[in-house]
Amino acid sequence: MNDTGTDLVPFPGALSRPSPSGGRVALDEDTLIEAQPGTDGVARWLRSTVGAATGLPLRDGLDADSRVVLRVDPATARELGPEGYRLTCDGHGVRIDGGSAAGVFWGAQTLRQLLGPAAFRRAPVTARTEWELPAVRIEDAPRFAWRGAMLDVARHFLPKGDVLAYVDLLAAHKLNVLHLHLTDDQGWRLEIKRHPRLTEIGAWRARTKVGHRASPLWDERPHGGYYTQDDMREIVAYAAERHITVVPEIDIPGHSQAAIAAYPELGNTDVIDTTSLSVWDTWGVNPNVLAPTDTTLAFYEDVLTEVLDIFPSPFVHIGGDECPKDQWRASPTAQARIAEQGLADEDELQSWFIRHFDRWLTGRGRRLVGWDEILEGGLAEGATVSSWRGYAGGIAAARAGHDVVMCPEQQVYLDHRQAAGDDEPVPIGFVRTLEDVYRFEPVPPALDADRAERVIGTQANIWTEVMESRQRVDYQTFPRLAAFAEVAWSPLPAPEARDFAAFERRMTGHYARLDALGVDYRPPGGPRPWQRRPGVLGRPIEGAPPIV
């Protein structure tokens, strides 16, 4: 650990030493936690994580020379916002004042970093009975309310334990949204009791394309899995204890072949034999989309009714991206729906789908969020836009008065390769280095100050077509997610003025934390031998990514 605590990631808004001579604070076996009202969950987290790593009991109590005081403070809320905090380490111990329980929790994450990498282990590795902290005062608050990571568990299923581990990784980086991509052509991952074939059939595919869809390689083993509703309630509760909101995504009307394979009546039966479809085993944009029928609407209302019962998130993501219209153009049923509704074309038919579920969710106190294709044919009144094809969709949505989460593919899709070398495993897309991600700016200069406030946050997306395991997800995600977390949290200057060299120096300490957590990240010097995938075809795109 750096003596002044300056290896923190993300870096706080303000950090100072109480005196030029510095000083240190010790936590020991007699240190007590004074958990004031509203902070019991943070105290529980400190005991279960920091307590487990250090071996310190961190008992409840008020009367001790060494204390960790946790307090929800209205003054901090007024000055720094609900997720802001002040952390003081001095001769009186440690004090964390937060604008809410969430603010106290983010302060506790900073405390853990100050204790050093060993505090990130699951059990003590030394016999020491004192753990030193630098004497320091930190005042901190996030730049964005939505600081997210999207994890695609549809293309390759991640077991529940791996998802829980990612919740902890997000929390360690002060990210507060886990967007789970639960359904796609290649698999349906959430138990729906009204429609059990979604997981009996839709959660399993016979084989899997290895690498890019042009690759000649196949993994002939069946692949699949799903989360029971109790599994998902556990994930949601675990995340909530860490002040992370789990946003579910149920993709409509495209990316739906797994659902159609399970229930053929959901597809365009007047165009193709939907009974012949199986869960898709390769990648790309699939032509088999949902039919715009009352049967389909009722089916997905059933699905979403169960989703709302599991996920308390105010936002529900309904996808809306990459929906080819060819089947609708050929379908008498779809054309009849267009005529009946007085729609101009198939783009407006997609908008009809989205608007239906926007009204349905709004009527139940939730908010619809979708990928930026939901702009096509007219944006649903209450919709929030995830701007993925670049900035343009987000700019258009913000100017129209809609909230936006910026997640442009060219900047923060973490399936894109990290270097240009031949050793990079399954090289996909543009080169996006650690520095590139660090210089990502979520708010485009094209938005004036009023419209810029419509950018409620930013998100890095982890698509798993070429990530068949937690190990591969780790490699593609880290260390870049650490840079993204600082972009989402810290008050950074303009991209060209950011001090990447200082961030790299802080990452030296942060790599040790990732090591302690068991993250199989990409080292700065390139992939380790077991991280390479020689002979697996990717789809690299040369040159700098466009700003679109």
Side-chain angles (χ1 to χ4, degrees), residues 34 69 88 142 267 275 383 398 429 448 508:
E34 179 185 329
V69 180
T88 305
T275 63
D448 61 29
T508 300

Side-chain angles (χ1 to χ4, degrees), residues 157 188-191 199-200 203-204 224-229 231:
F157 177 69
W188 185 286
R189 304 294 177 219
L190 179 65
E191 177 189 28
T199 47
E200 291 171 358
W204 310 95
Y226 65 92
Y227 310 103
T228 67
Q229 293 196 1
D231 287 338

Side-chain angles (χ1 to χ4, degrees), residues 33-45 69-74 82 96-106 240-241 243:
I33 292 180
E34 179 185 329
Q36 296 190 11
T39 67
D40 287 345
V42 182
R44 186 163 52 247
W45 178 85
V69 180
L70 309 176
R71 184 174 75 130
V72 175
D73 176 35
I96 303 174
D97 293 313
S100 67
V104 178
F105 181 73
W106 303 130
E241 183 88 352
H243 299 277

Side-chain angles (χ1 to χ4, degrees), residues 85-282:
Y85 68 91
R86 291 186 175 93
L87 185 153
T88 305
C89 301
D90 59 20
H92 303 288
V94 176
R95 183 182 187 92
I96 303 174
D97 293 313
S100 67
V104 178
F105 181 73
W106 303 130
Q109 290 288 352
T110 300
L111 172 63
R112 187 189 191 190
Q113 289 199 15
L114 291 171
L115 286 166
F120 287 77
R121 296 190 178 275
R122 296 190 182 186
V125 294
T126 68
R128 60 175 147 159
T129 57
E130 279 195 350
W131 290 71
E132 287 192 338
L133 295 157
V136 68
R137 178 178 170 83
I138 292 171
E139 188 171 283
D140 202 11
R143 180 183 179 192
F144 291 106
W146 182 305
R147 307 180 302 280
M150 189 227 67
L151 188 57
D152 171 15
V153 295
R155 271 51 177 273
H156 278 99
F157 177 69
L158 279 180
K160 180 187 69 177
D162 290 343
V163 177
L164 294 173
Y166 257 76
V167 170
D168 281 328
L169 287 171
L170 265 58
H173 292 83
K174 299 186 174 70
L175 297 172
N176 68 344
V177 174
L178 173 61
H179 168 181
L180 284 180
H181 184 74
L182 292 166
T183 73
D184 215 297
D185 301 303
Q186 296 87 1
W188 185 286
R189 304 294 177 219
L190 179 65
E191 177 189 28
I192 301 297
K193 293 182 179 180
R194 287 175 176 86
H195 300 296
R197 287 170 60 87
L198 286 171
T199 47
E200 291 171 358
I201 302 298
W204 310 95
R205 59 178 181 260
R207 62 176 187 168
T208 300
K209 174 66 69 174
V210 176
H212 183 257
R213 62 180 175 272
S215 166
L217 303 177
W218 293 90
D219 183 341
E220 297 292 347
R221 298 173 297 174
H223 177 84
Y226 65 92
Y227 310 103
T228 67
Q229 293 196 1
D230 282 347
D231 287 338
M232 193 52 69
R233 286 190 177 94
E234 179 186 355
I235 291 168
V236 167
Y238 191 84
E241 183 88 352
R242 289 148 182 80
H243 299 277
I244 293 170
T245 299
V246 181
V247 175
E249 181 182 354
I250 305 295
D251 217 333
I252 56 173
H255 287 290
S256 297
Q257 183 161 317
I260 297 169
Y263 291 94
E265 64 271 22
L266 297 175
N268 294 284
T269 58
D270 55 352
V271 177
I272 63 163
D273 176 12
T274 56
T275 63
S276 67
L277 296 178
S278 58
V279 178
W280 212 24
D281 56 12
T282 190

Side-chain angles (χ1 to χ4, degrees), residues 511-524:
Y511 285 122
R513 298 183 190 115
L514 296 178
D515 285 332
L517 288 166
V519 178
D520 199 24
Y521 59 86
R522 182 190 189 275

Side-chain angles (χ1 to χ4, degrees), residues 379-391:
L379 188 57
E381 183 176 345
T384 296
V385 170
S386 299
S387 190
W388 77 272
R389 291 180 295 179
Y391 291 99

